Amino acid sequence: MKIGVVIFPGSNCDHDMIYALGHILGHEVVELWHKDHDLQQVDWVVLPGGFSYGDYLRSGAIARFSPIMAEVVQHARRGGYVLGVCNGFQVLCETGLLPGTLQHNLSHRFVCQNTYLRLAHPEHPFTAGLESARPYKIPVAHGEGRFYADEATVKQLEDQGQILFQYCDAEGRVSEEANFNGSVAQIAGVSNAGQNVIGMMPHPERAADPNLGNTDGRALLESFLMAAGQTA
Amino acid sequence: MSDATLQPVTEETAGELGLLEGEFQKICEILGREPNFNELSVYSVMWSEHCSYKNSIVWLKTLPKDGPHMLVKAGEENAGLVDLGEGLACAFKIESHNHPSALEPYQGAATGVGGINRDIFTMGARPIAQLNSLRFGELSEDRTKWLLNGVVRGIGNYGNSFGVPTVGGEVYFDKSYHQNPLVNAFSAGIMRTGEDPVISAKAEGPGNPVFIIGSFTGKDGIAGAAFASKDLTDASVEDIPSVQVGDPFQEKLLLEATLELAKTGAIVGMQDMGAAGITCSTAEMSAAGGVGMDIHLDRVPTRQDDMQPWEILLSESQERMLAVVKKGREEEVRRIFEKWDLPCAEIGAVVDRDQLTYYWQGEVVAQTPADPLVLGGGAPVYYREYREPAYFKAYQKFDINSTTVPQDLKAVGERLLQHPNIASKRYVYQQYDSMVGTINMNTNLPSDAAVVNLKDTQRALAMTVDCNARYVHADPYQGTMIAVAEAARNIVVSGGQPSAITNCLNFGNPYQPEVYWQFVNAIKGMGAACEKFQTPVTGGNVSFYNHTVREEHTEPVFPTPAIGMIGVVEDKKHHTPLAFQQKGDLIYLLGENRNDINSSQYLVQEHGVEASPAPFFSLEEEYALQEQLKMLIRKGLLQSAHDVSEGGLWVALMESAMSGRLGFDVTTDSAIRADAYLFGESQSRVVVSVAQDRETDFVDLMMLNGVEFDLLGHVTKGSIRLDDRDWGHVEHYTQLYEEAIEKEMLR
């Protein structure tokens, strides 16, 4: 599997993602510079976390106009795989590749902590490699991560099985208390209707290295890539 | 240029710019004439306390500088460089940003973070982790809440966006900091020895071009000099913001561009621009290399159109560097900065004599030799008078018998866990990205010191910042030894070997002999402890004039020599958590309990007694304890280790319990007063837990040395029991501990 990680000015989880996918999972990973137009024939494009272009104006709002994003949109429209994490998720929502928006956390504070995720639709191909019975411990770090979409869109996401992850507690219960940022329907991650684009606020790449005592994120990344491998 | 800035100025103007009596005369002697306004501005900032250390340097020089692992010693470069083994070296430093933060907490703290990181990456090291040390007035005060929120958001937004994790720190509250908070930022960076070049802060090679790289230069941060210039410029000076404004996005680009530039080998030397901007960086780089520079101020990219030469000289705009480049390789520099969309301009060249000449459109606007401007060169050095304050002896008279043991110790225990100096700082640290970089080993296994993974090696790097300023106030010598000892203890219980320290010395007005006495004794105590632990001082920062003005008098802050220490964890397996690990494990105390409540949070909070000496401390006992801990950890005999500090043994036990979501059942010692046993803060004690099947090995190893140890009890599933009495469940205390600060902040 050849994976391209986009580097925007201000990306800061780019190297973490490259380390997780390349060094830990052993895939071929290339860096895609924001000023370029060449996707180097990758199977997957990953938009990493960070503060692209300083996130001035609104998170992800400027990045969508970068040269590389025109190619990423084409890639996605052709059915190519795209994963956006944190700021990458915000960029994907800004481009319209994913539904909804990401707003300020209800507390209006940046929050960095471990959270727990449970599978909303275990049969979704991206999460088919995961266990539906248990929560996954995945860190978050964001100030603008409250997923919002109108009622009709949320219903559509539910009906079409596009909700990948919901925030839950350590025992796997979905509750308002575990929904620390106030996301609608506790949504932590979604896919598009075509099931080739994923966005999520939590950082799976931060839970991939056994030296850090948590490899739940590695399981997520493996499941995403496996789903793509089967349909490719 | 035909204005007044080129005319000679008088001693009166020198006084207005903050120069001391006699310093103007000295400038005239150096120049052989009276300076003009531009030159005087240059001297006033270079000879300020901040740049020259003129009131502290004679004492700083007494600190141990060399150790077995030092690659670059204190004062040689922007930060010290320590060998970590396996081909890695660490550059680290701590710096204050107190006064800007008191005025504008958000930008003050943010630019503090920016500045300390530039000190690290200007050497060619990539910052990998940050800490901070914060002091505020009492949390119940609205001003404190405003400052705390601003400072934490400032540190958070800057650090989070810059992409370097904040992995630890400390926050204390005391009324002495009411007007004058302390904001000390620490950063550590890594480089590959032999592979990554250490970029020197030295100008060399006459004819080599000098570049300014990074952000545009604006009118920020020059108000200090501006107030004296009212007869020189128009009324617009009122618009000049006195606090610099930070842009973490620019800093991130500057980091990447700088490190890319460092790899090319086109750089001769580089220094970041902090205090006194272009003035300081051109002077220090020239003096370090024994050369001079011709600098064309009109070639500096500016944010505003109407900037005066002296404003450009003194601007403290952030995210800028001065770089001396090998002649002929200018294009490589330009290409890299174009790639990162950052301004970069050639503004002059190195010359072969000790002369700094600043031009404006071809005309000389200021000229001076560089060496007399800098620390270690001709900058003034003063010996200040010091005198023991009256309170010191008075504090020694405290007698524990003047206080009585409270009836309800459980209620005291609950209150202590909710005191802002002890309660969880979750409200603060959750606003920092602690995990970016995927190296934080404490996220899922917290230990006393922060421990970060050194990827692709056996090793990890431990770091901590510590200072109980109440102890230092009570006894500056003893208190500062304790600060160093506690830092070392935190590194050791986490599985590391202390390597070196950086210090941030926050004191009051050095012209007050009683304040200077605190400073002198703090340095002496620091030196003694650093010698003992073989942790040389690699650099740091002095911040004087920290005080709170009251109606009657000016009260200095508690003397606060914050100690930032790094240590090497030679094998990641040695990383030892502070949390109890499983029910049934045995809990031991290492070190001796004493009948001592001196300077404890308990004594202040429950009895309202501020006047007591520092708690018991013996450097020998501490050293023996740490050596013993290193052996125990290397042999894999400890399940957990956590040092006893604020709140005493009770809080140490509770923190190990809460962190592991387990409880404990312990028996106290009737030979010691119950309050001293539970809440006393005598030093050199560590709570450890040992698996039952390793107890024999543990006891055997403990018997080999003279370190006191005592079986306290065992870990339980969640209930807290003391002397067979039920003190409730760990969850109850966890809630009190974790929510105390947040509740107060949202009130």
Side-chain angles (χ1 to χ4, degrees), chain B residues 603-623:
Chain B
L603 181 61
V604 177
Q605 176 186 303
E606 296 295 323
H607 297 280
V609 176
E610 304 250 0
S612 71
F616 175 87
F617 177 73
S618 150
L619 199 50
E620 295 304 323
E621 229 175 81
E622 178 75 41
Y623 184 76

Side-chain angles (χ1 to χ4, degrees), chain B residues 584-728:
Chain B
D585 284 352
L586 300 161
I587 303 171
Y588 278 89
L589 178 75
L590 273 53
E592 192 178 340
N593 277 318
R594 288 184 164 84
N595 217 27
D596 180 356
I597 55 173
N598 289 345
S599 281
S600 62
Q601 194 64 52
Y602 159 75
L603 181 61
V604 177
Q605 176 186 303
E606 296 295 323
H607 297 280
V609 176
E610 304 250 0
S612 71
F616 175 87
F617 177 73
S618 150
L619 199 50
E620 295 304 323
E621 229 175 81
E622 178 75 41
Y623 184 76
L625 171 79
Q626 291 188 20
E627 291 302 303
Q628 184 71 20
L629 277 158
K630 285 179 204 168
M631 271 195 286
L632 291 166
I633 288 173
R634 258 186 227 121
K635 295 220 185 275
L637 292 170
L638 303 185
Q639 293 274 72
S640 72
H642 182 34
D643 93 311
V644 176
S645 59
E646 288 82 15
L649 183 57
W650 158 253
V651 169
L653 284 165
M654 280 310 304
E655 285 174 342
S656 289
M658 292 184 293
S659 182
R661 300 202 164 273
L662 293 163
F664 57 81
D665 184 348
V666 306
T667 307
T668 65
D669 180 349
S670 57
I672 292 173
R673 247 173 74 152
D675 56 347
Y677 185 88
L678 288 173
F679 311 126
E681 298 179 14
S682 71
Q683 294 295 296
S684 310
R685 293 181 295 160
V686 171
V687 170
V688 302
S689 63
V690 180
Q692 286 183 12
D693 60 357
R694 305 306 301 275
E695 192 188 13
T696 316
D697 295 337
F698 170 79
V699 172
D700 286 349
L701 192 58
M702 286 307 298
M703 297 301 281
L704 291 179
N705 295 292
V707 175
E708 293 268 341
F709 70 109
D710 192 13
L711 177 65
L712 299 181
H714 62 269
V715 177
T716 68
K717 209 174 148 201
S719 63
I720 308 293
R721 295 183 69 80
L722 277 95
D723 296 326
D724 289 327
R725 282 196 312 276
D726 179 13
W727 278 46

Side-chain angles (χ1 to χ4, degrees), chain A residues 18-110:
Chain A
I18 292 166
Y19 190 81
L21 295 171
H23 195 92
I24 297 174
L25 293 179
H27 292 284
E28 182 188 357
V29 183
V30 294
E31 297 181 5
L32 302 174
W33 183 241
H34 69 113
K35 291 180 186 173
D36 289 347
H37 281 279
D38 180 8
L39 289 187
Q40 302 181 41
Q41 275 114 35
V42 297
D43 303 298
W44 272 90
V45 173
V46 179
L47 307 184
F51 293 73
S52 54
Y53 302 89
D55 270 351
Y56 296 124
L57 188 59
R58 189 174 66 243
S59 294
I62 306 173
R64 64 174 282 214
F65 295 111
S66 66
I68 196 84
M69 279 311 294
E71 308 306 323
V72 174
V73 170
Q74 287 305 313
H75 169 81
R77 297 228 165 106
R78 287 194 302 266
Y81 291 102
V82 181
L83 166 66
V85 170
C86 200
N87 192 229
F89 185 15
Q90 293 163 340
V91 174
L92 290 175
C93 290
E94 287 286 335
T95 57
L97 285 176
L98 288 174
T101 61
L102 293 151
Q103 306 191 339
H104 282 280
N105 298 344
L106 274 188
S107 67
H108 283 268
R109 292 199 302 271
F110 186 95

Side-chain angles (χ1 to χ4, degrees), chain A residues 7-17 19 23 33-35 50-56 108-114 137 139-141 177 203 205-209 211-214, chain B residues 126 149 153 157 159-164 246-250 252-253 256 338-341 427 429-441 443-445 453 455-456 572 742 746:
Chain A
I7 301 180
F8 296 112
S11 291
N12 63 29
C13 305
D14 44 348
H15 290 286
D16 300 348
M17 187 59 86
Y19 190 81
H23 195 92
W33 183 241
H34 69 113
K35 291 180 186 173
F51 293 73
S52 54
Y53 302 89
D55 270 351
Y56 296 124
H108 283 268
R109 292 199 302 271
F110 186 95
V111 175
C112 175
Q113 63 178 22
N114 275 326
K137 183 164 83 172
V140 292
E177 217 180 11
H203 288 267
E205 81 282 7
R206 294 188 178 188
D209 185 344
N211 286 310
L212 307 187
N214 176 13
Chain B
R126 178 178 282 276
N149 267 330
R153 277 197 313 118
N157 284 9
N160 300 349
S161 180
F162 182 52
V164 176
D247 181 348
F249 174 59
Q250 290 289 97
K252 168 72 173 159
L253 301 183
E256 299 301 339
E338 198 169 305
K339 172 183 167 189
W340 291 99
D341 298 317
Y427 177 84
Y429 68 70
Q430 269 191 345
Q431 298 188 53
Y432 304 146
D433 191 339
S434 57
M435 306 185 207
V436 63
T438 57
I439 55 170
N440 190 346
M441 294 173 66
T443 304
N444 298 303
L445 203 68
N453 185 23
K455 284 177 178 170
D456 308 319
K572 292 190 236 286
E742 181 154 359
L746 299 178

Side-chain angles (χ1 to χ4, degrees), chain B residues 279-295:
Chain B
T279 298
C280 187
S281 52
T282 51
E284 289 187 351
M285 285 191 74
S286 296
V291 294
M293 287 181 190
D294 285 343
I295 299 293

